[in-house]
Each structure stands twice: as structure tokens, then as C-alpha cells.
Amino acid sequence: MNNYIPLNKAIGPKVICDGYQALIPQKLGVDAMTFTFDGSECEHATCPGAPEIFIKVEENGLYYFGIEADDTGSLTIAGEELCKKDGTQPNGKLNIETASRYLKAGYYKVALSCTNNAYDPTSNNAVAFNVTMDKEPIQAGKYEGNSTMKREFSPSPKIKLWTIEKESDIKCEESKEVKLEFESPEIIYSPEIDSCKTNPIPPKICVTVCQDKDENVWKCRVVSASAGAKITIFNDNFMNPLITPPLSEEEAIEAVNEMNGYQARGRVGTWHTPEASVAHEEHHRRQWEDAFNYYWKEMKIQEKLEERTFSCDTYKDMDKVITLMSGYADLASTNLTIATAEYVIQLPDRANDRPYCAGQKVLNEATRKVILLADAMD
């Protein structure tokens, strides 16, 4: 069955996990185990004729996912591993790993797995597994203490799982233009000392296949495509005048001079604001967005993927064709990343260039407030 099925093409969808409780509630005194939700025989996937497991997406949008496990957990969507929670010590206890992906409305085939390691004595060995899915960023649970049994799962909505009897039709419809959606996750603020960064989120291209009976071939159809960029703001040991104002006229003059010089000479001295760093990095994020969108169209990725066909006589198994097409989609994603990165890293990022102009615009407001404060101290 396809990795993706439109809402109106799914026959006999049935909820097999209602999302009211964790997939594996916290248990103590268990042996080593591996638990899968991937279409193999288990109590959560026994629907005759449709063992594959799906999530249902009601409307197009960016969706957030979380994996909580003791020890290791993973989530694969439409053949791509989206999120994996590390189980090596000290991450063996109940903890979380999150990810996001733009999804078009429909049903997506998923695979979930949880591995619990063996510890001695077994009486102290715990297992837990929970997967969350929401249109809002996933909230962390309470992961304090040395025992999984004392920790709490995320309060975000738990994932619902479906089986589908069959697709109503897999004949080919006309291709529809797919626009690249850009993910802009919330900014990460790190206490570590480092230079602020904007890093790309690799493109994700979801494909499906359909059967053209007239031509006796399988054809590819691109369902959705997304890419993005994430911003990390690090601690740079600067003094923020909006939080810790200058205490004297001399300090105020120093702060104003340093902040006024940001555009012309970059970040130097003692005084700066994280808001200016955010403005600088947001400019880089827009550069990634513009470049990804440009090369998505310029490289004609959708067109080239949908040009590929496979003989129905040679490939009678649709799942085999889906695997092959997903491989071509992964290669296209890699090529898109390379082309976009080669362009973005060449964009100017020195004093007086646009990222610094963006930061200076924000610093000008901070400078104005410092001047008002200095005037009040006279």
C-alpha cells in the first residue's frame, strides 16, 4: 500500500490506537525487549488485509512530533526516519526527542519502534514509550530524578494510529504543482558560548505512485515537499543594556558607541542585545527560504521525479516501486540541499552587509532607550 493515501481514497480506515494512553505505559521489572508498530504481527496491527499503520492528517500544515522512550525509540513517516530518541547512557531513562515536518492532508504510513535494554537486577528495569503529534511545538514532560517510574510523559496529544483496508483507486490523476513549504521552528537559546548559527533543515520530499493502465506503467506523484532552517542563539557574554542598564554616563556612552558601530564593524565590545542577534539570524533564515524555493523550481525537481516510470510487467509489487521512487526522492533532496547551500554560503556576511544592517536596525531602538536613560541620570 502507498506511503501516502488521500483522505478520500482510503477505504475502511479504522482507529487501532486512540491516543488516550502511551503506547507502552511505564512498567517496572521487565526484560530486554523490542516493540514495533510497523505492520508486523502484534496486538496493535492485526486488521486483516491491512496490517500497515498510518497517521491521519486532517489539513495541510506543519506538524510536530515527539518520541519519549526508555531506552530507544524511533518514528518513521512515509519511509523516512523523522525522529529517533537516543538510548545510550545517560539517556536511557525516560526522555524526549522532537522533530517537525510539513504534511499534506491524508494518511501517512508510519513505523514506530521501542527497544528496552537489559539491566541487572531486572526488578529495577523500567520500560516506557510514548509518541506525540500536534500542530503546536511538543511540550516536554517532567524528566527529573533517577527513575523512569518517577518521570512524567509530555502533556502534548498522544499519537493516533490507523489501519486502512485498501485504497479505493490507484489510477493516475493529473499532476498538480507542489510548492515547497518552509519550516521556521522556534528559536533555540543555548547557554553555551559560541557564535549564533542558522542551519538548514534538509528537504523532505514525500512521493507516491499510481498505475497508468493505458501505458502499463507506474508513475510517480509528488505529494509534498518541505525544507527549513533553524536558529540557535548562543550566549556571547555580552551586557544587554535593556536587562542590565549602564550605571553611569561613561558606561552609557560606551554602550551607545559600541551598539552604533555594529553595522560598520560587527559584534565587538561589551554591549549588545540578543534581539539584534535574532534579527541577524532571521535574515539568514530568509536567505535559506528564498534559495530553497528558487532551486526547487529551477532544478525542476517535481517534474523530473514525475517523469520516472516503471513497467507494470517488470514491477508487479507496488511497494517495491514506492521504495525505488522514495530513493530517487532522497537523492533529489540531497541535490537540492547541495545547490542551495553552495549559493547561501557565498552570500555576503560581513560588516555593512545586509545581516548586520538587520541587526543594527534593532540595536538602534536599544540605543535610543540607553540615551533616554542617560538623560534621566543627569
Side-chain angles (χ1 to χ4, degrees):
M1 198 174 298
N2 261 312
N3 281 336
Y4 166 81
I5 302 175
L7 294 174
N8 62 350
K9 295 293 182 68
I11 292 179
K14 177 183 178 182
V15 175
I16 55 173
C17 184
D18 55 22
Y20 288 111
Q21 64 178 5
L23 296 173
I24 303 179
Q26 290 148 298
K27 298 178 183 178
L28 191 64
V30 297
D31 294 319
M33 61 179 290
T34 296
F35 201 90
T36 60
F37 301 76
D38 60 1
S40 57
E41 291 298 325
C42 71
E43 66 268 33
H44 293 280
T46 56
C47 180
E52 294 95 344
I53 299 176
F54 294 80
I55 55 171
K56 182 179 181 181
V57 176
E58 299 282 358
E59 58 183 21
N60 300 357
L62 181 63
Y63 288 82
Y64 297 86
F65 297 87
I67 293 286
E68 295 174 289
D70 178 354
D71 294 285
T72 302
S74 68
L75 165 65
T76 298
I77 298 179
E80 174 198 11
E81 186 176 80
L82 179 67
C83 189
K84 185 174 183 178
K85 187 262 175 180
D86 182 15
T88 59
Q89 294 295 347
N91 298 314
K93 301 179 181 67
L94 179 63
N95 217 317
I96 191 168
E97 189 68 33
T98 61
S100 62
R101 180 171 177 178
Y102 179 88
L103 297 173
K104 180 181 176 181
Y107 291 92
Y108 290 82
K109 190 183 297 184
V110 299
L112 306 172
S113 70
C114 174
T115 299
N116 183 254
N117 299 330
Y119 299 98
D120 188 28
T122 301
S123 59
N124 292 331
N125 191 33
V127 64
F129 185 48
N130 185 43
V131 183
T132 50
M133 175 180 175
D134 198 5
K135 294 206 70 176
E136 301 293 333
I138 300 301
Q139 302 176 55
K142 294 182 180 179
Y143 311 120
E144 302 170 355
N146 293 324
S147 170
T148 285
M149 301 306 294
K150 294 181 179 179
R151 298 187 172 198
E152 296 181 14
F153 287 122
S154 164
S156 293
K158 293 174 173 55
I159 200 168
K160 290 185 178 181
L161 300 176
W162 300 67
T163 58
I164 295 173
E165 183 179 339
K166 64 179 181 178
E167 295 177 66
S168 64
D169 197 351
I170 55 173
K171 72 178 182 180
C172 283
E173 299 178 350
E174 290 296 319
S175 173
K176 297 179 181 179
E177 180 184 1
V178 173
K179 295 183 178 180
L180 183 77
E181 300 292 335
F182 192 79
E183 301 178 26
S184 299
E186 291 186 342
I187 295 171
I188 300 170
Y189 290 89
S190 172
E192 298 178 5
I193 298 176
D194 201 346
S195 298
C196 298
K197 294 181 174 63
T198 300
N199 295 320
I201 299 172
K204 307 176 187 71
I205 303 174
C206 181
V207 295
T208 185
V209 299
C210 54
Q211 189 177 36
D212 188 323
K213 294 185 178 180
D214 293 334
E215 297 184 19
N216 195 36
V217 294
W218 296 100
K219 291 183 176 180
C220 171
R221 289 291 182 263
V222 175
V223 175
S224 65
S226 66
K230 58 183 179 181
I231 294 173
T232 306
I233 302 297
F234 289 95
N235 177 15
D236 200 12
N237 279 341
F238 54 74
M239 294 286 288
N240 183 352
L242 303 180
I243 302 299
T244 308
L247 299 178
S248 66
E249 182 179 356
E250 290 75 16
E251 279 193 347
I253 293 173
E254 178 186 64
V256 169
N257 288 337
E258 287 182 0
M259 290 190 293
N260 279 342
Y262 174 78
Q263 178 177 322
R265 61 177 181 267
R267 236 290 284 150
V268 295
T270 304
W271 302 92
H272 190 65
T273 70
E275 291 79 9
S277 295
V278 168
H280 182 118
E281 298 304 324
E282 285 287 10
H283 186 89
H284 287 311
R285 178 141 67 180
R286 289 191 295 273
Q287 290 174 329
W288 279 103
E289 181 175 7
D290 292 343
F292 270 125
N293 280 315
Y294 173 80
Y295 284 106
W296 169 256
K297 296 178 181 179
E298 176 68 14
M299 297 171 69
K300 297 183 178 179
I301 292 176
Q302 180 181 357
E303 293 91 326
K304 291 180 179 179
L305 284 173
E306 295 187 353
E307 285 174 357
R308 294 190 177 275
T309 60
F310 296 86
S311 168
C312 291
D313 292 332
T314 304
Y315 297 96
K316 300 182 184 300
D317 183 1
M318 183 176 66
D319 287 340
K320 175 63 175 177
V321 181
I322 291 172
T323 300
L324 291 171
M325 281 309 313
S326 295
Y328 285 116
D330 291 342
L331 179 60
S333 296
T334 299
N335 292 335
L336 175 58
T337 300
I338 292 172
T340 303
E342 287 179 346
Y343 171 77
V344 171
I345 62 176
Q346 295 183 53
L347 293 175
D349 189 22
R350 296 180 179 178
N352 284 319
D353 290 329
R354 291 183 177 181
Y356 286 91
C357 293
Q360 186 66 66
K361 185 176 180 181
V362 174
L363 283 174
N364 288 344
E365 178 61 22
T367 299
R368 187 185 69 83
K369 292 181 179 179
V370 170
I371 291 174
L372 292 175
L373 178 62
D375 289 342
M377 289 190 295
D378 287 345

